[in-house]
PDB file of all heavy atoms in Angstrom:
ATOM      1  N   VAL G  13       3.880 -17.023 -27.211  1.00 43.00           N
ATOM      2  CA  VAL G  13       3.609 -15.839 -26.392  1.00 43.00           C
ATOM      3  C   VAL G  13       2.101 -15.617 -26.262  1.00 43.00           C
ATOM      4  O   VAL G  13       1.599 -15.424 -25.268  1.00 43.00           O
ATOM      5  CB  VAL G  13       4.246 -14.606 -26.967  1.00 43.00           C
ATOM      6  CG1 VAL G  13       3.783 -13.326 -26.250  1.00 43.00           C
ATOM      7  CG2 VAL G  13       5.743 -14.675 -26.840  1.00 43.00           C
ATOM      8  N   ASN G  41      -2.742  -3.598 -22.156  1.00 93.00           N
ATOM      9  CA  ASN G  41      -2.516  -3.227 -23.603  1.00 93.00           C
ATOM     10  C   ASN G  41      -3.401  -3.986 -24.489  1.00 93.00           C
ATOM     11  O   ASN G  41      -3.645  -5.170 -24.250  1.00 93.00           O
ATOM     12  CB  ASN G  41      -1.046  -3.380 -23.937  1.00 93.00           C
ATOM     13  CG  ASN G  41      -0.217  -2.225 -23.635  1.00 93.00           C
ATOM     14  OD1 ASN G  41      -0.582  -1.176 -23.071  1.00 93.00           O
ATOM     15  ND2 ASN G  41       1.096  -2.354 -23.949  1.00 93.00           N
ATOM     16  N   LEU G 175       1.517  -4.817 -19.401  1.00 95.00           N
ATOM     17  CA  LEU G 175       2.118  -4.418 -20.598  1.00 95.00           C
ATOM     18  C   LEU G 175       2.436  -5.626 -21.486  1.00 95.00           C
ATOM     19  O   LEU G 175       2.627  -5.386 -22.651  1.00 95.00           O
ATOM     20  CB  LEU G 175       3.503  -3.675 -20.245  1.00 95.00           C
ATOM     21  CG  LEU G 175       3.351  -2.293 -19.527  1.00 95.00           C
ATOM     22  CD1 LEU G 175       4.787  -1.887 -19.145  1.00 95.00           C
ATOM     23  CD2 LEU G 175       2.832  -1.289 -20.587  1.00 95.00           C
ATOM     24  N   GLU G 176       2.495  -6.803 -20.872  1.00 93.00           N
ATOM     25  CA  GLU G 176       2.970  -7.953 -21.786  1.00 93.00           C
ATOM     26  C   GLU G 176       2.040  -8.221 -22.917  1.00 93.00           C
ATOM     27  O   GLU G 176       2.605  -8.872 -23.885  1.00 93.00           O
ATOM     28  CB  GLU G 176       3.127  -9.175 -20.880  1.00 93.00           C
ATOM     29  CG  GLU G 176       1.802  -9.684 -20.273  1.00 93.00           C
ATOM     30  CD  GLU G 176       2.144 -10.887 -19.335  1.00 93.00           C
ATOM     31  OE1 GLU G 176       2.630 -11.905 -19.871  1.00 93.00           O
ATOM     32  OE2 GLU G 176       1.797 -10.806 -18.170  1.00 93.00           O
ATOM     33  N   THR G 177       0.870  -7.860 -22.922  1.00 90.00           N
ATOM     34  CA  THR G 177       0.004  -8.144 -24.117  1.00 90.00           C
ATOM     35  C   THR G 177       0.498  -7.304 -25.248  1.00 90.00           C
ATOM     36  O   THR G 177       0.114  -7.646 -26.424  1.00 90.00           O
ATOM     37  CB  THR G 177      -1.502  -7.753 -23.815  1.00 90.00           C
ATOM     38  OG1 THR G 177      -1.535  -6.449 -23.278  1.00 90.00           O
ATOM     39  CG2 THR G 177      -2.097  -8.741 -22.833  1.00 90.00           C
ATOM     40  N   GLY G 178       1.259  -6.329 -25.043  1.00 94.00           N
ATOM     41  CA  GLY G 178       1.855  -5.547 -26.180  1.00 94.00           C
ATOM     42  C   GLY G 178       2.837  -6.316 -26.928  1.00 94.00           C
ATOM     43  O   GLY G 178       3.183  -5.944 -28.165  1.00 94.00           O
ATOM     44  N   ALA G 179       3.257  -7.437 -26.482  1.00 94.00           N
ATOM     45  CA  ALA G 179       4.146  -8.379 -27.262  1.00 94.00           C
ATOM     46  C   ALA G 179       3.394  -9.013 -28.409  1.00 94.00           C
ATOM     47  O   ALA G 179       4.088  -9.599 -29.358  1.00 94.00           O
ATOM     48  CB  ALA G 179       4.684  -9.465 -26.331  1.00 94.00           C
ATOM     49  N   ASN G 183       7.306  -6.673 -33.476  1.00 95.00           N
ATOM     50  CA  ASN G 183       8.609  -6.049 -32.988  1.00 95.00           C
ATOM     51  C   ASN G 183       8.369  -5.615 -31.543  1.00 95.00           C
ATOM     52  O   ASN G 183       7.402  -6.081 -30.856  1.00 95.00           O
ATOM     53  CB  ASN G 183       9.021  -4.915 -33.831  1.00 95.00           C
ATOM     54  CG  ASN G 183      10.544  -4.699 -33.880  1.00 95.00           C
ATOM     55  OD1 ASN G 183      11.088  -4.662 -32.732  1.00 95.00           O
ATOM     56  ND2 ASN G 183      11.033  -4.426 -34.960  1.00 95.00           N
ATOM     57  N   THR G 184       9.176  -4.605 -31.130  1.00 96.00           N
ATOM     58  CA  THR G 184       9.063  -4.114 -29.760  1.00 96.00           C
ATOM     59  C   THR G 184       8.065  -2.887 -29.678  1.00 96.00           C
ATOM     60  O   THR G 184       7.732  -2.371 -30.691  1.00 96.00           O
ATOM     61  CB  THR G 184      10.381  -3.638 -29.252  1.00 96.00           C
ATOM     62  OG1 THR G 184      10.826  -2.611 -30.113  1.00 96.00           O
ATOM     63  CG2 THR G 184      11.469  -4.744 -29.297  1.00 96.00           C
ATOM     64  N   ILE G 185       7.805  -2.494 -28.414  1.00 97.00           N
ATOM     65  CA  ILE G 185       7.113  -1.235 -28.237  1.00 97.00           C
ATOM     66  C   ILE G 185       8.077  -0.129 -28.296  1.00 97.00           C
ATOM     67  O   ILE G 185       9.098  -0.137 -27.489  1.00 97.00           O
ATOM     68  CB  ILE G 185       6.325  -1.200 -26.893  1.00 97.00           C
ATOM     69  CG1 ILE G 185       5.348  -2.358 -26.770  1.00 97.00           C
ATOM     70  CG2 ILE G 185       5.554   0.162 -26.686  1.00 97.00           C
ATOM     71  CD1 ILE G 185       4.642  -2.470 -25.420  1.00 97.00           C
ATOM     72  N   LEU G 232      10.851  -1.692 -25.805  1.00 97.00           N
ATOM     73  CA  LEU G 232      10.469  -2.768 -24.838  1.00 97.00           C
ATOM     74  C   LEU G 232       9.812  -3.981 -25.545  1.00 97.00           C
ATOM     75  O   LEU G 232       8.863  -3.768 -26.293  1.00 97.00           O
ATOM     76  CB  LEU G 232       9.524  -2.204 -23.813  1.00 97.00           C
ATOM     77  CG  LEU G 232       9.056  -3.157 -22.670  1.00 97.00           C
ATOM     78  CD1 LEU G 232      10.162  -3.563 -21.859  1.00 97.00           C
ATOM     79  CD2 LEU G 232       7.933  -2.535 -21.852  1.00 97.00           C
ATOM     80  N   ASP G 233      10.340  -5.064 -25.287  1.00 96.00           N
ATOM     81  CA  ASP G 233       9.721  -6.341 -25.702  1.00 96.00           C
ATOM     82  C   ASP G 233       9.116  -6.964 -24.420  1.00 96.00           C
ATOM     83  O   ASP G 233       9.772  -7.731 -23.713  1.00 96.00           O
ATOM     84  CB  ASP G 233      10.757  -7.385 -26.287  1.00 96.00           C
ATOM     85  CG  ASP G 233      10.075  -8.588 -26.959  1.00 96.00           C
ATOM     86  OD1 ASP G 233       8.852  -8.500 -27.122  1.00 96.00           O
ATOM     87  OD2 ASP G 233      10.855  -9.450 -27.383  1.00 96.00           O
ATOM     88  N   PRO G 234       7.895  -6.532 -24.072  1.00 95.00           N
ATOM     89  CA  PRO G 234       7.404  -6.805 -22.707  1.00 95.00           C
ATOM     90  C   PRO G 234       7.099  -8.340 -22.378  1.00 95.00           C
ATOM     91  O   PRO G 234       6.555  -9.019 -23.240  1.00 95.00           O
ATOM     92  CB  PRO G 234       6.048  -6.009 -22.697  1.00 95.00           C
ATOM     93  CG  PRO G 234       5.610  -5.986 -24.143  1.00 95.00           C
ATOM     94  CD  PRO G 234       6.879  -5.988 -24.961  1.00 95.00           C
ATOM     95  N   THR G 235       7.378  -8.625 -21.111  1.00 95.00           N
ATOM     96  CA  THR G 235       7.166  -9.886 -20.544  1.00 95.00           C
ATOM     97  C   THR G 235       6.371  -9.598 -19.272  1.00 95.00           C
ATOM     98  O   THR G 235       6.195  -8.466 -18.915  1.00 95.00           O
ATOM     99  CB  THR G 235       8.388 -10.611 -20.277  1.00 95.00           C
ATOM    100  OG1 THR G 235       9.150 -10.081 -19.201  1.00 95.00           O
ATOM    101  CG2 THR G 235       9.245 -10.748 -21.480  1.00 95.00           C
ATOM    102  N   SER G 236       6.045 -10.689 -18.515  1.00 92.00           N
ATOM    103  CA  SER G 236       5.324 -10.506 -17.273  1.00 92.00           C
ATOM    104  C   SER G 236       6.116  -9.759 -16.306  1.00 92.00           C
ATOM    105  O   SER G 236       5.541  -9.129 -15.413  1.00 92.00           O
ATOM    106  CB  SER G 236       4.985 -11.929 -16.738  1.00 92.00           C
ATOM    107  OG  SER G 236       6.126 -12.602 -16.407  1.00 92.00           O
ATOM    108  N   ASP G 238       7.643  -7.070 -16.773  1.00 95.00           N
ATOM    109  CA  ASP G 238       7.507  -5.697 -17.136  1.00 95.00           C
ATOM    110  C   ASP G 238       6.116  -5.065 -16.756  1.00 95.00           C
ATOM    111  O   ASP G 238       5.883  -3.848 -16.928  1.00 95.00           O
ATOM    112  CB  ASP G 238       7.703  -5.399 -18.647  1.00 95.00           C
ATOM    113  CG  ASP G 238       9.134  -5.793 -19.033  1.00 95.00           C
ATOM    114  OD1 ASP G 238      10.164  -5.324 -18.436  1.00 95.00           O
ATOM    115  OD2 ASP G 238       9.196  -6.695 -19.960  1.00 95.00           O
ATOM    116  N   ASN G 239       5.206  -5.947 -16.277  1.00 95.00           N
ATOM    117  CA  ASN G 239       3.910  -5.385 -15.966  1.00 95.00           C
ATOM    118  C   ASN G 239       4.009  -4.435 -14.774  1.00 95.00           C
ATOM    119  O   ASN G 239       4.739  -4.594 -13.874  1.00 95.00           O
ATOM    120  CB  ASN G 239       3.042  -6.571 -15.525  1.00 95.00           C
ATOM    121  CG  ASN G 239       2.590  -7.485 -16.779  1.00 95.00           C
ATOM    122  OD1 ASN G 239       2.706  -7.025 -17.889  1.00 95.00           O
ATOM    123  ND2 ASN G 239       2.275  -8.748 -16.488  1.00 95.00           N
TER     124      ASN G 239
END
Side-chain angles (χ1 to χ4, degrees):
V13 169
N41 272 359
L175 291 169
E176 63 181 301
T177 51
N183 209 317
T184 61
I185 302 175
L232 178 67
D233 191 7
T235 69
S236 61
D238 300 302
N239 291 337

